[in-house]
Amino acid sequence: IGLIKAIDRFDLSREVQFTSFAVPYIVGEIKRFFRDTSWAVHVPRRLQELRVDLAKGKDELSTVLDHEPTPKELAEHLELSEDEVIEGMVASNGYTAGSIDMPSDPGERPTDASRTFADVLGEPDPAMETVEDLHTLAPLLEQLDGRERRILEMRFGQEMTQSEIGAEIGVSQMHVSRLLTRTLTKLRTGMFA
């Protein structure tokens, strides 16, 4: 791409050798490619360039100060604000992304027994699905009439049998079964609608 750009923009009237003209275009395209594709997370170009300046500044100051420079010291050295330096440091974390299969303790040598980040991540909590179902079910229960709610309470809250419910409300066990089936079908339909 750099070569094509150089060919398109080359002007014979300037009396400059083509190689002298083309090399900066080619090098620029190579740098742009690596800058734009080597980051694990998209980071604005100014922060990508700031990362390079920060790395150079850290190296220079580390030798002079004999310790890791603070953001304030880097800011003074690079003639930037401390906020810009901190923003650049945070953005530089996006240059590489660690695998969740890496050992969770960086000093630990990989073995069969070593724990990875994936091992310490949480798992889906089955109780969360129950909570979500209850939140979905609550408004549907409010739409039921009093008799339907009472039958559900006796069956699932008090764990009464259909015969006991029938005796309580004065209907047959078979009628209680039909009422429960109809009510539960209504709730299922509402939950998956």
Side-chain angles (χ1 to χ4, degrees), residues 9-158:
R9 296 180 180 148
F10 184 67
D11 185 6
L12 287 171
S13 65
R14 291 194 163 180
E15 298 181 10
V16 176
Q17 286 189 2
F18 179 72
T19 53
S20 303
F21 183 79
V23 167
Y25 276 97
I26 295 168
V27 170
E29 284 301 317
I30 291 171
K31 285 181 179 179
R32 188 172 297 111
F33 172 79
F34 283 118
R35 182 187 59 229
D36 294 345
T37 60
S38 62
W39 285 72
V41 178
H42 176 71
V43 174
R45 183 176 291 173
R46 71 176 179 80
L47 293 176
Q48 291 177 12
E49 292 167 356
L50 180 58
R51 176 187 164 273
V52 174
D53 294 340
L54 288 173
K56 287 178 185 174
K58 274 186 180 180
D59 288 343
E60 292 169 5
L61 282 176
S62 293
T63 56
V64 172
L65 301 173
D66 204 26
H67 66 79
E68 181 83 12
T70 64
K72 185 177 181 179
E73 291 169 336
L74 270 172
E76 289 171 4
H77 178 71
L78 297 172
E79 299 176 358
L80 298 169
S81 73
E82 197 171 339
D83 289 338
E84 287 174 306
V85 169
I86 291 170
E87 184 181 21
M89 293 170 120
V90 169
S92 68
N93 292 335
Y95 187 69
T96 58
S99 169
I100 62 171
D101 293 325
M102 287 175 39
S104 57
D105 181 5
E108 187 178 303
R109 290 183 356 169
T111 65
D112 291 339
S114 59
R115 293 175 60 180
T116 65
F117 287 112
D119 294 334
V120 296
L121 290 176
E123 295 179 3
D125 185 353
M128 285 304 294
E129 193 171 320
T130 304
V131 169
E132 290 171 359
D133 289 347
L134 289 174
H135 277 285
T136 305
L137 195 57
L140 299 173
L141 288 171
E142 291 175 10
Q143 295 173 1
L144 298 177
D145 63 39
R147 181 179 180 189
E148 292 170 324
R149 277 198 298 264
R150 184 169 176 228
I151 292 172
L152 288 177
E153 164 60 27
M154 287 188 280
R155 179 69 183 110
F156 299 105
Q158 300 172 19

